[in-house]
Amino acid sequence: MAVLQNSIPSLHHTLFINSFPQKGLQKLSHGAFLSCKTSVSLHVRAEHLSSLAASSSSSSHFQEICGRRQIIAAGITAPLVSIVDQTPTAFAAETKKGFLPVTDKKDGYTFLYPFGWQEVVIEGQDKVFKDVIEPLESVSVNLIPTNKQDIRDFGSPQEVAETLIKKVLAPPTQKTKLIQAAEHDVDGKAYYTFEFITRAPNYTRHALTAVSIGNGKFYTLTTGANERRWDKMKDRLMTVVDSFKIFNV
């Protein structure tokens, strides 16, 4: 674990997006950019938006929200499908109903994300997709260089999970709890997956993470949702984590 501890400053800079303001552009999947003035953390913004949606008691407002979700989802799907159709099947994540695949042929990874989630650009993140109404529901992929060849070189699943959760994946002001951690192999490559909870004063987030090593990089995929929506979202989020694969480039 000493090796992973030594990597924490770099990991923290690359992966930790919840403890400092983000400045950047919000990218729609058809290539257009919207200015994004983000002066608070993703989690705070997410909970604020979720609270606004939840507090609405007007049926007309509820219909407006649902309609907006459908319009946005429809608007981003067609361009994504046209891109996906051009992806070689050898690299693409296995298609599943209700999900869209992402394949990064440059960095060598692929995964699925739920239909309707929108791609956004966040500094320090290689890929981020989130729900347009519930921004706490998201998936992000990060990678940093490493000279290790196997994730097991950093320690056991529990050791790696505890270190990443406490030092990288949650702000130091939040309480965290590791629920479970496990190892599995895909095509001879080792992956660690773990489930954890982070508690802030005004919300609790339930998350899943997968980590692995390949192509000289340490890959981390994290997805999650507000605890109040975990029972509804957990199967979809588990599909996202299980779909994450690395291939040689």
Side-chain angles (χ1 to χ4, degrees):
M1 283 302 295
V3 176
L4 182 55
Q5 291 286 357
N6 292 337
S7 301
I8 287 300
S10 181
L11 281 166
H12 189 278
H13 175 75
T14 305
L15 302 180
F16 187 29
I17 62 173
N18 300 318
S19 65
F20 55 87
Q22 297 293 330
K23 296 180 180 179
L25 296 176
Q26 184 171 2
K27 180 183 178 183
L28 300 181
S29 295
H30 52 65
F33 287 86
L34 301 177
S35 61
C36 181
K37 299 180 180 178
T38 313
S39 57
V40 294
S41 69
L42 277 178
H43 280 179
V44 174
R45 289 190 297 107
E47 187 60 20
H48 176 65
L49 291 175
S50 298
S51 298
L52 289 177
S55 64
S56 173
S57 59
S58 168
S59 61
S60 62
H61 183 63
F62 175 77
Q63 292 171 355
E64 178 184 351
I65 291 175
C66 293
R68 188 170 76 254
R69 181 195 293 269
Q70 292 171 350
I71 291 171
I72 295 176
I76 67 174
T77 301
L80 281 172
V81 170
S82 66
I83 294 173
V84 169
D85 287 344
Q86 299 172 16
T87 303
T89 56
F91 295 145
E94 183 180 351
T95 303
K96 187 170 184 177
K97 184 177 180 181
F99 293 83
L100 294 172
V102 174
T103 299
D104 189 319
K105 292 185 286 184
K106 177 183 176 183
D107 291 314
Y109 65 84
T110 182
F111 66 94
L112 299 174
Y113 69 93
F115 172 83
W117 284 14
Q118 177 182 356
E119 184 177 9
V120 296
V121 174
I122 302 294
E123 183 180 358
Q125 310 295 294
D126 199 64
K127 283 279 190 295
V128 180
F129 291 85
K130 67 181 183 69
D131 187 272
V132 296
I133 304 300
E134 297 280 352
L136 275 180
E137 294 170 13
S138 64
V139 58
S140 63
V141 176
N142 312 93
L143 45 95
I144 62 169
T146 181
N147 58 4
K148 297 298 181 181
Q149 302 298 314
D150 194 299
I151 189 64
R152 290 169 289 203
D153 294 338
F154 286 109
S156 69
Q158 290 76 17
E159 290 173 327
V160 171
E162 289 283 5
T163 300
L164 290 177
I165 292 169
K166 292 178 180 179
K167 303 291 186 180
V168 177
L169 297 174
T173 56
Q174 292 186 1
K175 295 181 179 180
T176 63
K177 179 183 178 181
L178 174 63
I179 298 174
Q180 60 181 338
E183 174 185 341
H184 69 277
D185 282 57
V186 178
D187 298 328
K189 183 178 294 296
Y191 294 78
Y192 288 172
T193 56
F194 50 93
E195 178 182 353
F196 64 100
I197 291 174
T198 60
R199 291 187 175 90
N202 57 339
Y203 68 91
T204 297
R205 190 171 193 251
H206 204 134
L208 301 169
T209 292
V211 295
S212 189
I213 289 177
N215 302 308
K217 300 179 180 69
F218 187 111
Y219 294 80
T220 303
L221 176 144
T222 297
T223 186
N226 195 306
E227 179 67 29
R228 65 180 170 77
R229 284 175 54 83
W230 174 251
D231 287 340
K232 179 178 181 179
M233 292 297 300
K234 63 181 180 180
D235 289 342
R236 276 177 276 183
L237 300 181
M238 288 178 180
T239 296
V240 173
V241 165
D242 290 342
S243 72
F244 182 57
K245 301 295 184 296
I246 297 170
F247 54 85
N248 294 330
V249 291

